[in-house]
Amino acid sequence: MTAPRRHVTPRPASPAWLPGKLVDVSSLAWPPRKHADMADTPSLSLSLPADQHSDFQELEDAEDLFPELAGPREADPARLDISTKSNGPKQDFFFDDDADDLFAEATEEVSLDSPEREVLLSDGPSPAITPITPPCSVITPLIGHAHDDMFTHSSFDEQVEVEGGGEVHISVSDPEKVGDGMNAYMAYKVTTKTSSSLFRLGEFSVRRRFSDFLGLHSKLASKYLHVGCIVPPAPEKSIVGMTKVKVGKEDQSSNDFVEKRRLALERYLMRTAQHPVLLKDPDLLQFLESCELPRAVSTQALSGAGLLRMVNKAADAVNKMTIKMNESDAWFEEKQQHFENLDVQLRKLHASVESLVCHRKELSLNTAQFAKSTAMLGNSEDHTALSRALSQLAEVEEKMEQQHHQQAHADFYFLSELLGDYVRLLAAVKGVFEQRVKTWQRWQDNQVLLQKKREAQVKLHFSNKVQQAKDDIKELEVKVQQGERDFEKISGSIRREVGRFERERVNDFKKFFIKYLEVLVSTQQQVIKYWEAFLPEAKAIS
Amino acid sequence: MMEEVHEEAPGLSVHGHSVKVTEVLKEGDGLTFLIVSQKLSGTGEYHVYRTYEDFEWLQQHLFTQEGVPGIQGVIFPPLPAKAQVNASAKVVKQLGFLALEELQPYCAALETFLHQVAAHSILSKNKDLESFLTSCEPPGQQRVRKTIFNRLSQAVEEMRKESHKDVDEFFQTKRDVNLALTSGTKNAVEKFLDVVLTEQKIAVACGHFAASMHLCVESEDDPDKAAFSKICVKLSDVFESMKKNMTNVAKNDINTLGLGLDLESRYQEAEKEMLFRRTCKLLELETARKNAEKAKPVKKATLEEVKKAAETEFDHICDVAKQEIEHFQGDRVQILQKALVDWCEKQLHTARESADQYNQHLQAFREL
């Protein structure tokens, strides 16, 4: 086991760790913003404002770079997956170009044996409110990287990303009711199977309840949404559904509800874990690994944080109406329109499938009823052979009912839930676009303020306020620069995220459609068998 | 001494089983049916146009056929209820399977009615059947008074009569079985109709989904978008196949088992009517006997006459009834068997066709 090492995201313009493979920034075709200012970023002080990100307390010694960082820095995408055993920062590459310091903080590699890990992971509940100002950028984003091939490609959308999905498999199972009455809840077993070095073990399970999942999402959203990450949304709360379960109704509809929720939670975790950035998040790791999890209180509907969330949502809504951004990049406008259209289409499809599911269930019920009536008819029938045939018909119809039920299941889980998931995901996508607008707004506001202060300063000749004004202006200048950088970062991140989202969308849909078709084919095969078995019975009547 | 030549009433001049109801024309609110029959002599066909009222006329005349002792023991082939253009919900419900698929099943049911009448040993000899099938002129308009033959509602009185204990074990058993089968079949018809209606709804839903899926096709400029569009188009095709499958499944259901069960249901009702008529006659006879017994000598002779007449009639009815029941049993088993076999074969064929299509779709998807 290697000695505990800590690696911090590599810094710009220090070729010590990148022997000769630095890629020139300008070779990257990228959105219209200039990156010249990136080069003059000041140095490497990692001053993190203490009030932010209680999670990342450890990021000091920036100077302790990566002397140990030996080894070839390959551009080969295969090496970039997180299954490698070393904790090298090469895993962070993608998040570095433009990558935010935030990302650096979030993905700080700490060896799994390091005592710091406990500290890192033992964060209190993350703020439920999206921080308004991002923490000051510290490590300047690095553009140049080792992977020449990928980055010289003109479209960032085509980056090959760390495919976390293949490395981590999460399942949610064994729902168990804990407690009684209105305080009862469902606990689910979350099992992770992985070959990734991010985890202590290759296979492990924990028990979690629904609010834990909501808490996880809340933390991830608060950390990553405002830097342009599409954070998969958690499954929705359902007061009606859960009340039935709590009250102890052991009937089919509560079982269906629990099953639906179990699978939704599984899909949620898988989607989250497939996100290369989110997979490394300590909160996610803690969620998956640690036996005890602090209760996520901020998800309760009437909590203080909950109210604050509601207020923020309202403020956001007002803002959305008033912010009009000068879009200099047609890509964003086009993408937003594209997602609007997609949203409309998916909702329509979802409604269509729901209707299909409903009819299919009806068919299942009606077939069962018909089977019963045929059985009764067979019993009343005095012609022996006919009576037997009718009884057999009843059996065939019962089997058909099973097939219809199975098909309804496929209709629901492979189509309806998929479409529903994507409608919700699109809301998250919309969210990041809105964050970008907010970021722009902040930057612009500061710029306006700076302008005002400068104008005001001119008027302040001989007063004791001159120094103050000068200080204010200096501060604002920094803020404006930061604002611009943040805007770039989020824009870049969104481009990547959207690219990944579009690819995932294709894969997801294809995967689920194939599953659906497989059920369709197997159901049909069964149906054929049943008819083939019945035909001689029908012929044998006389 | 001249021997009386008993001339057999002339039989039908057409092949009974060749009768087809080939077209239905909508005239205002009513429907006119084109009936084509092949001449026995092989020299051609008769084409006649008949309305539902004409069918009713025929049925009435069959009921009131004269010169046939024990006619009340006949199980009369059932005529389907009246169909209409823009039928009310109640009518649609009453018609059940016959109201589906653009009246094709209805025409088939009328056809079956005519086949059954033409094949009936007693009824086929009725002149009115001949004129119904062959005469260009529409049959007469006079409405024969409706008799006990058409009992459409169960009055309390009739229910009491219906449950009157029989003197004959054979008939008592028949009545019991018939009672169970009439309600059982009716129930099965209703449930099967529900199944078919749901199948049709699913077909429509699949069609909608396929159309919506097709709208998801995006511009081809982007590889991801192009890939997504391909997937959507493929799934749209799958759902078109599913729609076709469901539509055929429903059609098969209607045209084979649906019609079969519907006919069986009406046929059982016809047997029920016959058995009821016989029971009523039995009651009449028992009353006549009692009266004759209790009669004062003055009336005795008359009442004895009445009793004798009732006895004779009743015996005739029982004779005819026994034959009818035997024929009926054979007939209905054959009808049901044919319905079940046809249904199974058609569904098997449809299922195989669909399975092939689905397999192809799955392969295509995997290759995407």
Side-chain angles (χ1 to χ4, degrees), chain A residues 366 381 510 518 532 542, chain B residues 198 332 337 352 366 368:
Chain A
N366 289 344
E381 180 58 58
K510 183 170 169 193
E518 285 171 349
E532 283 174 344
S542 64
Chain B
T198 317
R332 67 172 274 267
Q337 182 185 27
R352 283 182 178 144
R366 286 195 170 130
L368 266 184

Side-chain angles (χ1 to χ4, degrees), chain B residues 70 281 284-285 288 301-317:
Chain B
K281 234 348 171 225
E284 212 183 283
L285 174 59
T302 341
L303 289 173
E304 279 288 328
E305 285 293 317
V306 171
K307 185 189 90 174
K308 276 224 176 67
E311 264 172 11
T312 320
E313 220 184 319
F314 183 72
D315 285 340
H316 279 144
I317 289 176

Side-chain angles (χ1 to χ4, degrees), chain B residues 98-249:
Chain B
L98 305 185
L100 301 173
E101 295 288 311
E102 294 287 315
L103 292 180
Q104 266 156 338
Y106 191 79
C107 293
L110 288 177
E111 220 174 81
T112 307
F113 167 73
L114 292 173
H115 289 175
Q116 285 183 317
V117 174
H120 196 280
S121 50
I122 300 173
L123 302 176
S124 59
K125 304 195 175 92
N126 191 307
K127 292 190 276 68
D128 296 314
L129 177 65
E130 172 75 19
S131 67
F132 180 91
L133 289 175
T134 60
S135 160
C136 292
E137 296 299 315
Q141 288 302 305
Q142 75 272 36
R143 307 292 254 116
V144 180
R145 77 185 153 82
K146 292 213 167 157
T147 65
I148 186 179
F149 294 91
N150 277 356
R151 179 189 55 154
L152 293 172
S153 62
Q154 288 255 350
V156 174
E157 153 108 0
E158 287 175 351
M159 286 198 71
R160 187 181 59 81
K161 284 186 191 170
E162 196 166 46
S163 53
H164 180 82
K165 192 117 175 40
D166 212 298
V167 294
D168 186 333
E169 197 188 310
F170 170 78
F171 280 103
Q172 184 62 55
T173 317
K174 280 295 156 216
R175 282 161 63 188
D176 293 337
V177 170
N178 173 272
L179 202 61
L181 286 180
T182 11
S183 68
T185 314
K186 196 143 171 267
N187 189 32
V189 169
E190 274 171 25
K191 300 296 180 241
F192 195 53
L193 188 60
D194 286 340
V195 168
V196 171
L197 290 174
T198 317
E199 285 168 350
Q200 289 181 327
K201 279 191 224 170
I202 289 179
V204 169
C206 287
H208 283 157
F209 187 76
S212 302
M213 256 298 165
H214 221 87
L215 293 176
C216 280
V217 174
E218 301 161 345
S219 60
E220 308 280 306
D221 54 358
D222 183 297
D224 286 330
K225 285 192 195 169
F228 193 71
S229 300
K230 253 197 239 165
I231 290 174
C232 289
V233 167
K234 271 266 164 286
L235 195 72
S236 175
D237 290 342
V238 171
F239 270 81
E240 282 294 336
S241 292
M242 285 169 69
K243 175 185 174 184
K244 214 171 95 175
N245 175 48
M246 247 333 152
T247 310
N248 286 341
V249 165

